[in-house]
Amino acid sequence: MPRGNTFESEGRPELDALQSRLGVDVDPELLTLALTHRSFAYENGGLPHNERLEFLGDSILGQAVTVRLYRDNPDLDEGALAKRRASVVSGVALAEVARALGLGEFLRLGRGEELTGGRQKVSILADTVEAIIGATYLSAGADAATALVLRLVSPLMSDPARFGAALDPKTALQELADERHMPAPVYEVASTGPDHAKLFSATVKVAGLATGHGEGTSKKHAEMAAALDAWTQATDTGGSAGGA
């Protein structure tokens, strides 16, 4: 059961758990603010929300990734560097980071967002990651914020093949299937909830084998999440695109 709207209690154990996952000490009030979506703020008397921190974190994220890519890839031209940066800071990539942290359970959302699957929305998850980076900068300084960024995106930064997968996972999975002489991926999508608040679940299959699963508040986002899951499993294990 989501706990994200309940951590104003003494000791804030939920915040302690998130701090541990982040690996950095962030001021509890700033961390709470970073987790506060505008929908929650508006439903609770116009409280502050995380969009200013998101603005700050976006700048820090971009700078940290740009500097690391520049230093680590002296042979890449400006266009290639820009493409790689775009994939690392994309909403899909940041949402993947958020899911790895289990960030959805900590979000403070309004009732409307709660009912429409806000804890799985790519945009909300990605924006919250940026807000947490901003909160880290204000709490612990530039070096700590940069270190957090690089730690969070290290799976992408250390594996060049994942740049394209994070930016366009469906194309990456298709290309992987082609390379391994397997049939094109087939997506199966189901939805739950009323028409105005559907949550989509996708399974992608190659050669009849279930290879990846994903959820989202649109068919497109669910399929992208499933494709990235399948691509990651196949490349991490070195197995077939079918995950056999």
Side-chain angles (χ1 to χ4, degrees):
M1 180 177 180
R3 300 174 296 179
N5 293 351
T6 62
F7 45 66
E8 286 123 330
S9 59
E10 295 265 339
R12 301 185 180 186
E14 291 85 357
L15 286 185
D16 292 342
L18 181 55
Q19 296 262 24
S20 178
R21 296 179 195 181
L22 293 171
V24 62
D25 289 330
V26 183
D27 177 82
E29 291 188 7
L30 283 172
L31 186 54
T32 299
L33 180 60
L35 296 164
T36 302
H37 189 256
R38 64 176 178 270
S39 62
F40 180 88
Y42 294 163
E43 289 182 13
N44 288 271
L47 297 173
H49 51 76
N50 65 5
E51 290 183 0
R52 281 173 53 83
L53 285 176
E54 174 199 338
F55 170 79
L56 177 61
D58 176 70
S59 178
I60 297 161
L61 170 69
Q63 181 183 44
V65 170
T66 299
V67 171
R68 175 56 63 89
L69 287 173
Y70 182 88
R71 289 177 173 171
D72 289 356
N73 300 278
D75 297 329
L76 293 183
D77 62 20
E78 182 270 344
L81 289 171
K83 184 176 180 180
R84 290 197 174 191
R85 179 179 60 192
S87 68
V88 174
V89 304
S90 70
V92 172
L94 294 181
E96 183 186 0
V97 167
R99 293 188 181 103
L101 290 169
L103 199 57
E105 67 182 283
F106 300 101
L107 297 175
R108 304 173 89 196
L109 300 176
R111 290 185 295 275
E113 286 293 351
E114 196 75 73
L115 291 172
T116 56
R119 295 183 188 278
Q120 294 295 327
K121 284 185 179 178
V122 168
S123 59
I124 291 177
L125 290 172
D127 291 348
T128 304
V129 170
E130 292 179 339
I132 288 174
I133 293 167
T136 301
Y137 177 89
L138 295 177
S139 297
D143 290 345
T146 297
L148 175 64
V149 168
L150 297 178
R151 187 162 62 249
L152 292 178
V153 302
S154 62
L156 282 171
M157 301 287 281
S158 62
D159 185 357
R162 296 198 69 202
F163 285 108
L167 193 59
D168 188 354
K170 292 183 70 174
T171 298
L173 184 62
Q174 175 67 63
E175 291 175 348
L176 184 63
D178 290 344
E179 288 171 7
R180 298 179 181 181
H181 308 291
M182 302 188 74
V186 175
Y187 294 84
E188 297 178 356
V189 182
S191 62
T192 57
D195 289 342
H196 68 280
K198 284 189 179 296
L199 180 64
F200 293 85
S201 298
T203 298
V204 59
K205 297 181 179 181
V206 179
L209 298 175
T211 61
H213 304 277
E215 292 185 340
T217 52
S218 70
K219 179 181 177 182
K220 176 183 176 181
H221 284 147
E223 288 181 346
M224 289 175 67
L228 188 58
D229 181 40
W231 187 94
T232 300
Q233 290 184 47
T235 55
D236 284 352
T237 62
S240 70

